């Protein structure tokens, strides 16, 4: 695509995202985190808190990691960086909103105005490549990878996801898993239930829970990505990893009978969620599981960080986990990465931060708090609990699948439209309309 065209596309996207953000911000929701810019969290004593544009700090770190379940890992990483580099002033310029709902719109405006943060959170895959690399907004990091000895420290498939035409454009800090269901162990025990591994078993378990007066599946789709995430996992379970990839590559149509079947399964699953799903965010819905009002939740394992660190629940005592039905042996990959935007003044300092987040020490400081596993292949497993070590092992052996909801499988423009289509589907339940919208969004790419 020509650059001019790309910017017109991006502008449209910014406007769409801003409209979605505005829609979301007016809704009341129990326990919702504050929508603030420049929030630094409790441990951020050494950070500057100016927030917003025109940062005076040497290093402005932009992400959407604010509030419960999100910020602890980042704050620990920044604290570590400050210990090692007390002379560099850091601003934590995080913008609240799960999966970057608001942050991505703010970032797009800044990038368009040639006011990039020193470094920013971006998912490996299309979100990085189609939004920023294609627009010539990122610096290649090949020399940096060589200097830091990173070339063989990440799985090759992951390096490919952050590369374009032989150039590497970002450093992965973690791997989150998307195809996991967390569940309240006492609720399962009280009802004599075992974790389901097929869709059929899932529906059976859900029926029993419903009969017992428990919400089977917690959902908080005030931000639509949480529902998109369920659908992508159903697609993975129904199609298998190769055809799931083929779907995003445009080789399988949305009227393929297995995709239709997946949409029907999605509709059935949505029949088991809490009534107030549209007014909750992901943390609010995860709370339903911790309180035992709901039994299960499909959430990326940032929810593991939330359960363990914020809600002080014990893994394999208070909450358990299992692979999303029919996806055992597969791994829905979500990788948060940071790169070097073109035109930043303090390149050396950005690289110093990237070196830390790409190091064993940095990854082993960040990931146990975040709920993710290290992206590096040589991290120290003794830092991770049973969920972490299990996931590290699964990741090594599983077939990997890129997440749509978290920016890897398709462009940001496509994802925005997919989220809208899913959001309409959640209320209307019209499978044909959902699949048509997903297909026609593709032809507009
Ligand atoms: C994802 C991101 C995770 C986590 C989650 C919820 O997109 O990769 O690190 O922050 O959103 O906000």
């Amino acid at each position: 695509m020509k650059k001019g065209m790309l910017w017109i596309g991006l502008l449209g996207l910014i406007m769409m995202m801003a409209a979605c953000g505005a829609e979301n911000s007016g809704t009341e929701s129990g326990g919702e985190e504050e929508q603030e810019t420049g929030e630094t969290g409790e441990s951020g004593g050494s950070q500057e808190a100016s927030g917003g544009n025109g940062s005076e700090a040497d290093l402005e770190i932009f992400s959407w990691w604010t509030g419960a379940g999100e910020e602890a890992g980042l704050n620990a990483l920044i604290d570590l960086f400050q210990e090692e580099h007390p002379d560099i002033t850091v601003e934590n310029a995080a913008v609240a909103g799960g999966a970057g709902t608001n942050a991505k719109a703010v970032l797009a405006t800044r990038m368009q105005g040639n006011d990039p943060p020193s470094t920013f959170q971006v998912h490996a895959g299309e979100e990085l490549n189609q939004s920023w690399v294609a627009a010539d907004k990122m610096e290649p990091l090949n020399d940096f990878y060589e200097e830091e000895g990173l070339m063989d420290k990440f799985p090759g498939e992951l390096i490919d996801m952050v590369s374009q035409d032989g150039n590497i454009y970002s450093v992965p800090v973690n791997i989150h898993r998307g195809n996991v269901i967390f569940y309240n162990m006492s609720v399962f025990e009280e009802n004599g239930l075992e974790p389901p591994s097929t869709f059929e078993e899932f529906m059976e378990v859900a029926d029993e829970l419903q009969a017992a007066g428990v919400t089977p599946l917690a959902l908080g789709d005030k931000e639509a990505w949480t529902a998109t995430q369920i659908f992508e996992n159903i697609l993975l379970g129904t199609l298998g990893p190769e055809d799931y990839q083929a779907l995003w590559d445009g080789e399988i149509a949305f009227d393929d009978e297995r995709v239709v079947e997946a949409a029907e399964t999605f509709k059935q699953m949505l029949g088991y969620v809490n009534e107030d799903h549209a007014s909750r965010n992901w943390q609010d819905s995860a709370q339903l599981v911790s309180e035992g009002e709901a039994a299960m939740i499909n959430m990326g394992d940032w929810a593991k960080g939330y359960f363990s660190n914020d809600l002080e629940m014990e893994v394999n005592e208070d909450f358990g986990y299992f692979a999303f039905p029919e996806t055992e042996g597969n791994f829905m990959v979500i990788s948060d990465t940071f790169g070097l935007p073109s035109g930043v003044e303090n390149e050396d300092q950005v690289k110093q931060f990237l070196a830390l987040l790409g190091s064993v020490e940095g990854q082993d400081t960040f990931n146990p708090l975040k709920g993710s596993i290290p992206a590096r292949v040589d991290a120290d497993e003794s830092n991770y609990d049973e969920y972490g070590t299990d996931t590290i092992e699964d990741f090594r052996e599983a077939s990997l699948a890129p997440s749509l909801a978290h920016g890897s499988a398709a462009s940001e423009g496509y994802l925005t439209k997919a989220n809208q289509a899913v959001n309409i589907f959640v209320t209307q339940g019209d499978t044909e309309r959902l699949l048509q919208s997903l297909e026609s969004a593709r032809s507009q790419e």
Side-chain angles (χ1 to χ4, degrees):
M1 212 192 301
K2 291 223 174 67
K3 265 189 218 161
M5 291 282 290
L6 192 76
W7 275 115
I8 294 171
L10 267 177
L11 253 182
L13 173 65
I14 293 164
M15 288 166 76
M16 252 158 74
M17 288 170 79
C20 293
E23 247 168 54
N24 286 332
S25 59
T27 335
E28 296 275 312
S29 148
E32 197 208 347
E33 62 196 69
E34 285 165 35
Q35 305 275 311
E36 268 180 26
T37 304
E39 194 177 1
T40 53
E42 278 168 20
S43 67
S46 56
Q47 303 151 26
E48 301 260 299
S50 61
N53 298 357
S55 170
E56 279 166 22
D58 301 320
L59 186 64
E60 188 194 10
I61 302 166
F62 187 94
S63 75
W64 54 86
W65 291 327
T66 73
E70 298 273 56
E71 69 187 3
L74 177 63
N75 285 337
L77 192 63
I78 293 177
D79 286 349
L80 185 63
F81 183 76
Q82 294 276 242
E83 265 168 42
E84 291 176 10
H85 303 279
D87 49 321
I88 300 180
T89 52
V90 175
E91 180 189 337
N92 178 353
V95 175
T101 304
N102 309 310
K104 287 188 202 169
V106 173
L107 177 69
T109 310
R110 290 190 56 177
M111 295 293 269
Q112 193 216 352
N114 291 325
D115 174 31
S118 315
T119 187
F120 60 87
Q121 177 187 0
V122 61
H123 289 124
E126 300 306 336
E127 187 180 311
L128 169 69
N129 294 327
Q130 289 202 36
S131 297
W132 308 125
V133 175
D136 220 359
K137 294 277 178 184
M138 303 300 289
E139 293 300 315
L141 292 170
N142 300 41
D143 291 348
F144 169 84
Y145 265 69
E146 292 292 350
E147 280 155 24
E148 296 295 323
L150 294 178
M151 287 310 287
D152 57 350
K153 296 298 185 291
F154 297 101
E157 270 181 89
L158 188 59
I159 295 204
D160 287 349
M161 285 173 78
V162 296
S163 302
Q164 195 85 306
D165 301 328
N167 285 326
I168 307 173
Y169 286 100
S170 69
V171 185
V173 66
N174 68 356
I175 307 281
H176 270 303
R177 183 173 201 171
N179 60 321
V180 54
I181 291 190
F182 295 99
Y183 68 103
N184 182 311
M185 294 188 83
S186 335
V187 171
F188 263 57
E189 212 170 289
E190 279 157 24
N191 291 282
L193 298 170
E194 292 293 325
S197 62
T198 63
F199 291 125
E200 205 182 328
E201 283 174 15
F202 178 90
M203 305 305 168
E204 282 166 14
V205 163
D207 282 336
E208 293 206 35
L209 287 161
Q210 214 162 39
V214 180
T215 299
L217 186 66
L219 176 66
D221 68 335
K222 183 177 173 186
E223 292 162 355
W225 60 270
T226 55
T228 304
Q229 187 174 262
I230 295 177
F231 187 43
E232 73 183 11
N233 286 320
I234 297 174
L235 284 167
L236 177 61
T238 311
L239 294 170
E242 278 170 27
D243 283 355
Y244 171 85
Q245 180 64 58
L247 178 70
W248 303 124
D249 290 344
E251 290 155 15
I252 288 181
F254 280 92
D255 61 4
D256 181 287
E257 62 182 20
R258 291 163 306 157
V259 179
V260 175
E261 184 191 320
E264 292 297 342
T265 306
F266 186 28
K267 187 171 173 175
Q268 221 181 330
M269 270 198 182
L270 289 171
Y272 294 111
V273 305
N274 44 297
E275 275 177 19
D276 62 353
H277 58 89
S279 62
R280 289 178 182 263
N281 64 16
W282 75 261
Q283 288 98 333
D284 302 331
S285 61
Q287 276 170 29
L288 290 175
V289 176
S290 72
E291 288 156 3
E293 280 184 47
M296 304 179 269
I297 185 168
N298 166 225
M299 188 46 61
D301 46 19
W302 42 93
K304 147 74 181 66
Y306 182 51
F307 286 143
S308 297
N309 303 315
D310 295 277
L311 302 182
E312 296 179 355
M313 294 167 74
E314 283 293 322
V315 68
N316 286 337
E317 270 179 41
D318 302 319
F319 72 97
Y321 52 91
F322 56 90
F324 194 91
E326 314 207 3
T327 69
E328 181 78 56
N330 302 322
F331 199 111
M332 187 68 80
V333 179
I334 297 153
S335 178
D336 296 301
T337 77
F338 287 79
L340 176 64
S342 302
V344 299
E345 279 166 18
N346 41 2
E347 236 185 81
D348 289 347
Q349 291 161 337
V350 177
K351 284 184 179 162
Q352 281 168 321
F353 180 69
L354 296 181
L356 179 67
L357 76 78
S359 70
V360 170
E361 191 189 13
Q363 305 227 332
D364 286 344
T365 298
F366 177 84
N367 288 301
L369 293 167
K370 188 67 169 62
S372 37
I373 60 169
R376 281 183 74 115
V377 293
D378 58 348
D380 179 356
E381 285 185 32
S382 68
N383 290 298
Y384 298 82
D385 65 11
E386 222 175 316
Y387 176 80
T389 50
D390 254 16
T391 309
I392 291 172
E393 197 180 313
D394 282 357
F395 181 71
R396 278 195 201 116
E397 283 156 22
S399 308
L400 309 186
S403 166
L404 169 71
H406 302 282
S408 297
S411 74
E412 203 46 35
Y414 184 82
L415 172 58
T416 304
K417 289 177 197 147
N419 278 336
Q420 284 170 347
V422 166
N423 201 229
I424 293 169
F425 178 73
V426 173
T427 30
Q428 295 187 348
D430 184 342
T431 46
E432 212 179 307
R433 181 169 173 191
L434 170 68
L435 299 177
Q436 269 170 8
S437 307
L438 293 172
E439 188 71 64
S440 73
R442 172 140 80 189
S443 57
Q444 290 158 24
E445 280 292 283

